[in-house]
Amino acid sequence: GQNIDQPTEMTATEGAIVQINCTYQTSGFNGLFWYQQHAGEAPTFLSYNVLDGLEEKGRFSSFLSRSKGYSYLLLKELQMKDSASYLCAVRDYGGATNKLIFGTGTLLAVQP
Amino acid sequence: DVKVTQSSRYLVKRTGEKVFLECVQDMDHENMFWYRQDPGLGLRLIYFSYDVKMKEKGDIPEGYSVSREKKERFSLILESASTNQTSMYLCASRRATGRSSYEQYFGPGTRLTVT
């Protein structure tokens, strides 16, 4: 079956570092994505990992271990505007196009 | 900048009504998607289209149909709206091949309430 797990909620302090974990079990794998979604808005793309290792992009980094079915999103120097839901998604093989399978999202609250 | 637009941000319909949700993208993307998003369930794929007049069922197609007559437009149709279709509906598009084909762009969403 297809399963993507991530924590429902997390709280962190402004200026700190937070790590949001994601584990997955899917029938196929063609990349893992992280999206950010502010309340009432559309998800926006943050990162994409298809090979093992760490991808860094400014304050955000994403890590992938395909053998462990595991990824994390690391947010450094947290700001209040980082309060949002973070969605982990796996690109599966399927049909004529690769579908994204989403986790339920992790709601991050950044406190002063 | 890629732009994905949806016809309405908020919509209220009555049970049994036929509902059309429209999505338009301006980047000549081949692939388009319709999702619904519900608390605790995340984003679930309803239907997708990998090219004009092509469509495939997603994970929860029951009660929905779609139309893709032009490349830029992908419509979601609720044949007879029911209260359990009250949800946030998100459209997305993506290039099928090439360097940026992994990045999927979302529209702002339509919050549909069926009473």
Side-chain angles (χ1 to χ4, degrees):
Chain A
Q2 318 275 50
N3 196 44
I4 298 178
D5 284 318
Q6 50 182 133
T8 305
E9 293 181 358
M10 296 182 72
T11 303
T13 304
E14 194 175 14
I17 299 173
V18 71
Q19 177 174 311
I20 303 174
N21 296 324
C22 172
T23 57
Y24 64 90
Q25 289 176 306
T26 55
S27 53
F29 181 84
N30 195 22
L32 187 139
F33 298 77
W34 284 96
Y35 281 82
Q36 180 190 59
Q37 186 178 24
H38 286 100
E41 297 182 13
T44 55
F45 171 81
L46 285 179
S47 68
Y48 168 63
N49 295 68
V50 67
L51 299 176
D52 290 350
L54 189 68
E55 294 277 344
E56 296 186 77
K57 196 189 286 187
R59 293 190 299 115
F60 293 7
S61 304
S62 56
F63 172 83
L64 175 67
S65 169
R66 288 172 296 169
S67 62
K68 294 181 180 176
Y70 168 69
S71 172
Y72 67 73
L73 180 70
L74 194 71
L75 292 75
K76 302 175 190 172
E77 300 168 18
L78 279 172
Q79 302 175 9
M80 298 298 290
K81 68 177 182 180
D82 297 329
S83 292
S85 191
Y86 291 86
L87 312 179
C88 173
V90 171
R91 190 159 159 180
D92 193 4
Y93 294 107
T97 187
N98 301 149
K99 298 185 290 185
L100 283 184
I101 303 162
F102 284 86
T104 54
T106 298
L107 184 62
L108 174 66
V110 179
Q111 298 178 339
Chain B
D1 266 359
V2 173
K3 200 165 184 183
V4 181
T5 57
Q6 295 183 227
S7 48
S8 306
R9 289 301 304 269
Y10 300 94
L11 208 53
V12 179
K13 295 291 181 181
R14 294 192 183 276
T15 302
E17 278 193 80
K18 191 167 185 176
V19 182
F20 293 86
L21 302 182
E22 305 285 343
C23 175
V24 177
Q25 50 92 5
D26 66 357
M27 281 301 291
D28 203 35
H29 286 171
E30 293 83 6
N31 300 160
M32 295 188 76
F33 307 83
W34 273 108
Y35 296 88
R36 62 178 284 176
Q37 186 174 31
D38 302 287
L41 295 176
L43 277 156
R44 293 179 293 166
L45 182 64
I46 304 171
Y47 264 98
F48 63 99
S49 168
Y50 46 90
D51 210 336
V52 178
K53 296 193 187 294
M54 302 293 194
K55 59 186 178 185
E56 276 199 35
K57 293 180 180 178
D59 300 316
I60 50 164
E62 297 78 19
Y64 303 95
S65 61
V66 290
S67 172
R68 184 115 182 253
E69 295 297 316
K70 293 185 177 181
K71 193 173 187 179
E72 68 270 18
R73 187 180 298 269
F74 191 35
S75 303
L76 180 70
I77 302 150
L78 287 68
E79 296 291 342
S80 177
S82 62
T83 53
N84 63 14
Q85 291 178 310
T86 292
S87 186
M88 170 69 89
Y89 290 87
L90 289 160
C91 175
S93 74
R94 186 181 75 208
R95 192 169 298 285
T97 58
R99 193 166 178 270
S100 62
S101 65
Y102 57 84
E103 191 166 344
Q104 192 160 298
Y105 297 87
F106 285 86
T110 296
R111 185 164 292 284
L112 172 67
T113 302
V114 182
T115 61

